[in-house]
Amino acid sequence: MPFPASKLNILIRPAAAAAAAFAVAYIFVMIAGGAPGAAAGALLEGAFGGRYAVADTLNRASLLFIAGLAVAVAFRGGILNIGAESQILAGASAAVVAGRLVDGWPGFAAVSALLAAAAAAGGACAAIAAALKRYCSVPEVLSTILLNFIFLQTVSWLVRGPLAETAHALPQSDRVADAAMFPRVFFDTSLHGGFLLACALAPLSWFYLFRTAGGLRLRAVGEGPRAARVAGFAVARIEFTTFLASGALAGTAGGMLVAGHTGRLYDNISCGLGYVAIAVALLGKLHPFGVAAAALFFGALDSGAAEMQRSAGVSNALALVVQAATVLAILAFDRFAGAARAEAA
Amino acid sequence: MPALLEARAITKKYPGVAALDGVTFSIASGEVAGLLGENGAGKSTLVGVLGGAIAPDRGELYLSGERIRLRSPADAAAAGIGVVHQHESLILRFSVAENIALAAGLPAFPKRAAMIDAARRLADRYGLNPGDPAAPCESLSVGERQRVEILKALSRNPRILLLDEPTAALSPREVAELFHVIVRLRDAGVAVALVDHKLHEVLRVCGRVVILRRGKVVADMLTKDSDERGLATAMIGKAPAPPARAMPAREGEIVFSVDGVSTRGRIGSLALRSINIKLSRGEILGIAGVDGNGQREFVDYLLSTRDSAGRPTTAFIPPDRRGEGLILSFGVDENLLLDETLLRNAAPAGYLSPRTRAESSAAAIVQYNIRAASSSAKAATLSGGNQQKIVVARAMARRPGVLVAAHATRGLDVEAASFVHGEILNFTKNGGAVIYISTDLDEIAALCHRTLVFARGSALGPFEIPWSAADFEAIGAIMAGGGR
């Protein structure tokens, strides 16, 4: 074999699944009474038509990437963190608090402080579930789902209570200081610093997972916890820190949401980003570069869907259908390939 | 005798190797045929083909002279071919009766009492006692689980029974029981194929022996025309190494001790009762006993011990090679680094360069002759013997003072087992001390200076080598009385 099948599959399988998903979408557009050709054109136009569209796609993809990476790191370490949503909300809340305190700071310091606060809050949120797992044996799937409910309501309370805007007109916070917002300095578009952060995190996380002793320990605990124990790895501690790192990444995504997009906190600010992140992570085969590709795909769908609604009259709800269908198709292709492999072994 | 099941010119290729290369194998009604061969010789692949789990690239199968195609294990079962696999396929949370009922075929509304009754009747019929039929399989010893596996296969009244290394985890008494069952099945007209590594066992029960080497049949002969030495030579293609012999232990310095360790028993685990062990430099201490008498719990205790720097005190060859010794989805190189001490040495600053990884694994691959497609080949693609070489290489690389080896030769062929024995003897020659846990009394008698026998969580003995006839009797009595 000239090229390892596993490496090839990382590219081909998601592409085949995406094609299958588009076929499903095509049928849905027909049923909805739209013109599939025009809808597809609008989708592509919205995602890649010109630098503004591309900038929008990259911004969305950056956010999805960091949230997806948070999930991927946890899953690699055997931690089923379903709580990226709560960690994102914790991160966004802390980002708003920090972003308002840094008024008058120089830009770089202000943005850094906002992100650091977001990461710390996300990590702290994950620490609740991590501690419950480590000291009380509460399964993290359960605790993180429940924490999602709690943090959703906490944000709702924050924007009506302690963080409510001065005008008290809407259930939302005041805007953070301008210095704490990502500067939009690229090519005269909306592309912001979050993109740089994502570009840095992709190779860094790959390097950590596959080129360091810590990464080997993390993957060993995830793939073979009993072998990791025999190896003398501190399994419980590694699980705990993996969980915290995952939470910190998700929290950072929450900070990016504020510093790059909303500038403030309000109800339902994350729009289920923490759940889409799970799909992005799985679609990317839990590999940092795979997650980046998946995030790009989802980001393009996101920004394309808006244009599809404007110019082709097709609801952007359809983009959600495509997203969901893609994940299902990927899982189906994966099982299919897995069964083929089992046959060969 | 006309063949009941016949495989003609079966070829199965995997990337880089031909697991089976034109193999012809047949088995007649009322015959027990032994299938012998080294690890990687193709035995398990052949069992897979005969059992419908593996589709051959070329070749045909004939049942009573008629061509058949097996697309799945279910096809094979419908054709009257029962398989007992090397790796257990039980649902551990289900009871013995439920596992058997699943294999036998379920009615639409299964009744608990009826399932338990059916399991009991099946067990009585074959004289194979799997313990309480209502007990979940996770609470059974390895030997009992093995019996449930066999009962599962027997529950469909197969005309052909394929047993893939069924004795690997059994005590001598359990082996004798199993052979008794095999003989009864044979006399009832069942065709039995027995894959085994232990030559004397094959000679005891098989009328005919087929030997595979590197995917080819190198011998097909009646056992009455062959002896153990001849078979071993045919298997590995050269005269076997003489059996392992323990060196006289050097008296003196105690390098490791366990003082009166007791543990509380939890559900599914046994309480250890004041275990005392003192280990001298150069000594091999044997721990014998029927599986499930506290060996697992003792290993768990040893795994949890740490020295003052928080590092594990001993190196391990853990009992479950595939689950504890290796991570099958990891490469050979990464598996060789699955040890806190080794990993810290390889990556003092945390950075694990591909070069370090390749160099450190290349040395071990050469030194231990690990046969793998490449240093990054997944451990799952290696044969059992080569997998165990990784585990041994890693344990030795730490240069430990004490090695705990549990079931270190389980499921290995003669050559791989003698390799493991050789490594352990070398280790003690250089002053290392070993705790050697095994259910194979022959092995323990050949290797260990002193032996403790585990029975219901207590350690009885010690017995010093050479064992007298009275020692053998005493050990046999402890093992017979100690089974759960």
Side-chain angles (χ1 to χ4, degrees):
Chain A
M1 236 175 295
F3 198 68
S6 59
K7 286 185 183 167
L8 198 67
N9 279 343
I10 244 175
L11 302 173
I12 285 183
R13 231 185 289 150
F22 272 117
V24 172
Y26 188 93
I27 294 166
F28 272 100
V29 174
M30 295 273 283
I31 293 171
L43 189 77
L44 279 177
E45 180 69 23
F48 303 111
R51 58 183 176 164
Y52 299 107
V54 170
D56 188 41
T57 293
L58 291 179
N59 279 342
R60 290 171 195 258
S62 304
L63 193 55
L64 285 161
F65 169 69
I66 292 177
L69 188 63
V71 175
V73 164
F75 281 20
R76 277 272 180 188
I79 300 290
L80 295 176
N81 179 12
I82 312 297
E85 184 76 2
S86 59
Q87 293 139 22
I88 288 167
L89 291 173
S93 305
V96 166
V97 173
R100 292 186 51 73
L101 288 176
V102 295
D103 201 6
W105 290 27
F108 186 76
V111 172
S112 301
L114 178 146
L115 288 176
C125 173
I128 301 170
L132 282 170
K133 179 183 171 71
R134 186 170 182 179
Y135 301 110
C136 316
S137 303
V138 178
E140 70 274 16
V141 171
L142 188 58
S143 59
T144 50
I145 287 178
L146 295 174
L147 282 168
N148 285 349
F149 297 145
I150 293 173
F151 275 79
L152 198 64
Q153 296 311 317
T154 304
V155 166
S156 191
W157 166 72
L158 282 174
V159 296
R160 287 173 178 83
L163 292 181
E165 63 175 346
T166 335
H168 281 286
L170 292 165
Q172 61 182 21
S173 73
D174 284 318
R175 283 188 67 82
V176 299
D178 282 343
M181 294 296 284
F182 278 133
R184 294 166 190 268
V185 289
F186 303 100
F187 318 116
D188 194 24
T189 65
S190 65
L191 190 62
H192 59 60
F195 176 66
L196 281 187
L197 191 60
C199 286
L201 276 174
L204 275 178
S205 55
W206 171 83
F207 182 82
Y208 182 77
L209 282 174
F210 299 106
R211 288 290 180 271
T212 69
L216 181 65
R217 286 193 196 95
L218 185 154
R219 289 185 291 119
V221 167
E223 290 270 322
R226 293 168 62 223
R229 173 169 167 261
V230 173
F233 297 165
V235 174
R237 204 188 65 215
I238 292 166
E239 284 181 339
F240 192 83
T241 50
T242 302
F243 214 152
L244 256 56
S246 168
L249 279 170
T252 305
M256 267 177 68
L257 194 58
V258 171
H261 300 258
T262 67
R264 58 172 102 221
L265 191 67
Y266 48 79
D267 269 337
N268 199 20
I269 181 173
S270 61
C271 288
L273 173 64
Y275 297 108
V276 179
I278 297 171
V280 170
L282 291 177
L283 185 69
K285 309 287 294 170
L286 308 183
H287 190 289
F289 299 147
V291 174
L296 208 54
F297 176 69
F298 274 58
L301 271 184
D302 260 359
S303 63
E307 180 62 27
M308 191 166 73
Q309 183 168 28
R310 269 195 301 276
S311 60
V314 176
S315 160
N316 70 350
L318 206 64
L320 290 175
V321 172
V322 174
Q323 284 183 356
T326 309
V327 176
L328 289 175
I330 283 286
L331 292 175
F333 271 79
D334 204 42
R335 288 281 171 272
F336 180 70
R341 265 199 309 278
E343 192 115 320
Chain B
M1 268 184 294
L4 179 57
L5 180 66
E6 188 181 5
R8 276 187 214 158
I10 301 287
T11 295
K12 178 73 195 177
K13 287 198 165 74
Y14 292 119
V17 285
L20 294 175
D21 189 359
V23 167
T24 294
F25 175 79
S26 71
I27 182 165
S29 177
E31 180 187 42
V32 182
L35 197 53
L36 279 168
E38 282 194 86
N39 280 310
K43 301 182 306 285
S44 289
T45 310
L46 182 56
V47 169
V49 170
L50 296 175
I54 295 172
D57 298 335
R58 274 199 304 279
E60 298 111 44
L61 294 178
Y62 294 86
L63 185 68
S64 304
E66 274 182 46
R67 174 101 191 254
I68 52 164
R69 284 173 202 279
L70 303 176
R71 286 181 190 81
S72 68
D75 276 4
I81 302 170
V83 187
V84 177
H85 290 285
Q86 194 174 346
H87 301 292
E88 54 182 53
S89 56
L90 298 177
I91 302 175
L92 292 180
R93 296 202 165 195
F94 281 20
S95 70
V96 171
E98 284 166 335
N99 269 291
I100 292 173
L102 279 174
L106 282 173
F109 300 98
K111 290 198 179 64
R112 198 177 124 87
M115 286 193 289
I116 290 175
D117 196 44
R120 201 165 271 143
R121 264 186 285 122
L122 188 69
D124 288 347
R125 193 166 128 208
Y126 292 103
L128 269 178
N129 176 20
D132 177 9
C137 285
E138 60 190 347
S139 71
L140 303 185
S141 70
V142 175
E144 287 165 338
R145 288 181 193 180
Q146 179 81 58
R147 274 174 258 168
V148 179
E149 295 277 359
I150 295 169
L151 286 173
K152 272 174 60 183
L154 291 177
S155 69
R156 303 194 54 158
N157 292 316
R159 288 193 288 158
I160 297 144
L161 187 64
L162 311 174
L163 298 159
D164 196 358
E165 298 189 24
T167 64
L170 303 186
S171 72
R173 207 176 82 164
E174 290 169 321
V175 171
E177 281 172 11
L178 173 66
F179 284 1
H180 189 64
V181 172
I182 289 177
V183 168
R184 274 172 57 182
L185 289 168
R186 179 195 69 194
D187 293 345
V190 176
V192 182
L194 176 68
V195 177
D196 205 326
H197 283 122
K198 294 180 190 159
L199 298 171
H200 63 272
E201 291 183 355
V202 169
L203 288 172
R204 240 165 86 194
V205 77
C206 298
R208 192 161 59 89
V209 178
V210 174
I211 297 176
L212 289 176
R213 191 164 75 218
R214 295 181 182 247
K216 288 188 165 138
V217 174
V218 293
D220 186 342
M221 54 184 152
L222 297 176
T223 30
K224 63 178 167 61
D225 302 334
S226 59
D227 60 14
E228 196 163 325
R229 208 179 154 74
L231 290 177
T233 309
M235 248 169 84
I236 61 179
K238 59 178 187 261
R245 235 326 115 208
M247 305 284 290
R250 280 179 242 173
E251 288 301 321
E253 202 190 338
I254 303 289
V255 287
F256 185 74
S257 61
V258 173
D259 301 313
V261 165
S262 298
T263 61
R264 259 186 303 165
R266 287 186 302 272
I267 297 169
S269 92
L270 209 70
L272 293 176
R273 295 184 201 150
S274 54
I275 306 288
N276 283 296
I277 281 174
K278 282 199 181 359
L279 209 54
S280 312
R281 207 172 266 283
E283 182 183 2
I284 306 178
L285 173 73
I287 290 183
V290 175
D291 239 327
N293 275 286
Q295 292 96 325
R296 174 76 247 179
E297 291 75 7
F298 186 55
V299 168
D300 281 338
Y301 163 76
L302 291 173
L303 275 172
S304 68
T305 57
R306 291 283 185 276
D307 65 9
S308 53
R311 284 187 304 255
T313 44
T314 62
F316 279 90
I317 299 176
D320 178 359
R321 184 186 315 140
R322 296 157 60 91
E324 289 181 308
L326 299 165
I327 295 178
L328 294 177
S329 57
F330 277 18
V332 173
D333 50 357
E334 288 181 325
N335 270 296
L336 282 165
L337 285 170
L338 282 185
D339 180 286
E340 186 61 44
T341 312
L342 294 179
L343 191 55
R344 277 189 199 181
N345 291 344
Y351 171 56
L352 192 59
S353 73
R355 222 178 101 192
T356 318
R357 212 158 64 177
E359 279 170 5
S360 67
S361 62
I365 286 170
V366 170
Q367 191 189 339
Y368 291 90
N369 189 22
I370 299 169
R371 263 176 260 156
S374 74
S375 70
S376 58
K378 285 187 177 151
T381 63
L382 272 62
S383 70
N386 283 304
Q387 289 179 344
Q388 192 71 327
K389 284 179 187 174
I390 299 177
V391 177
V392 172
R394 190 178 61 209
M396 296 303 176
R398 262 183 63 182
R399 306 187 183 288
V402 181
L403 172 72
V404 177
H407 309 301
T409 58
R410 180 175 279 178
L412 299 188
D413 60 56
V414 181
E415 201 187 13
S418 92
F419 165 81
V420 171
H421 291 154
E423 284 301 315
I424 283 170
L425 290 174
N426 260 337
F427 174 66
T428 55
K429 248 183 248 171
N430 299 325
V434 178
I435 297 178
Y436 196 85
I437 302 171
S438 174
T439 52
D440 186 339
L441 280 184
D442 297 340
E443 183 182 33
I444 287 201
L447 203 62
C448 303
H449 301 104
R450 277 187 310 146
T451 298
L452 295 169
V453 185
F454 268 41
R456 292 174 186 273
S458 300
L460 306 176
F463 298 90
E464 311 268 343
I465 49 155
W467 295 349
S468 64
D471 285 339
F472 265 107
E473 213 165 284
I475 292 169
I478 294 168
M479 287 176 68
R484 287 200 259 180

